[in-house]
Amino acid sequence: MTDLDARYGRTRARTQRERTLGWIVGVSILLVSVAWVWWVGTDPASAQLQSRDIGYVVEDDATTVVTFEVSVDAGTPVRCAVEALNTAFGIVGWVEVDLPPADIHTTSHRVELRTSERASNGLVSECWVTYDAE
């Protein structure tokens, strides 16, 4: 034993058992993470839904018209939130629109919004799949 070992003590060496346990825990965490990512990414219950803004027209201080497209599997009912924003990006108009199931993948829609003040733009905030409770 050297003077430094006597003064500060020796760090004990890792045992083979501790190293093996560390590897097992690390590999287990990796496998669970990969399984979770695969499960979330391949969920067959979720419909592929996309919305795309086409344009907007500010007709006057109280009205804005938003045109947009929705792409979803044919026969899927959708609800979209459409909003109008002012120059400070505050919401001055908001409406939720139910879109009935369509026979084609991509449909175009035109929505008129009432606004509390003159809007500077209009857009689709979000769309989601709705299910009938029949």
Side-chain angles (χ1 to χ4, degrees):
M1 184 183 304
T2 65
D3 287 340
L4 291 176
D5 291 340
R7 177 179 277 179
Y8 298 109
R10 232 177 226 259
T11 60
R12 65 181 186 89
R14 298 274 183 215
T15 64
Q16 180 65 28
R17 181 176 176 212
E18 289 173 331
R19 279 182 282 192
T20 303
L21 185 61
W23 274 103
I24 290 171
V25 168
V27 169
S28 298
I29 290 172
L30 178 67
L31 288 175
V32 168
S33 300
V34 168
W36 181 81
V37 168
W38 175 80
W39 179 67
V40 168
T42 61
D43 183 12
S46 64
Q48 295 295 323
L49 172 65
Q50 293 179 339
S51 61
R52 183 172 74 104
D53 295 318
I54 301 298
Y56 65 92
V57 175
V58 178
E59 292 187 345
D60 55 39
D61 289 346
T63 309
T64 299
V65 178
V66 178
T67 306
F68 61 96
E69 286 182 347
V70 174
S71 298
V72 68
D73 294 336
T76 305
V78 174
R79 176 176 288 170
C80 291
V82 183
E83 64 185 15
L85 306 174
N86 64 11
T87 56
F89 300 105
I91 298 173
V92 295
W94 174 278
V95 66
E96 288 185 5
V97 182
D98 286 317
L99 307 177
D103 295 336
I104 57 176
H105 183 70
T106 301
T107 56
S108 181
H109 305 277
R110 187 175 183 274
V111 175
E112 183 176 303
L113 284 93
R114 302 291 299 161
T115 58
S116 59
E117 63 183 68
R118 186 169 192 82
S120 64
N121 65 27
L123 54 100
V124 175
S125 174
E126 182 179 3
C127 291
W128 59 94
V129 175
T130 57
Y131 298 99
D132 295 331
E134 294 184 67

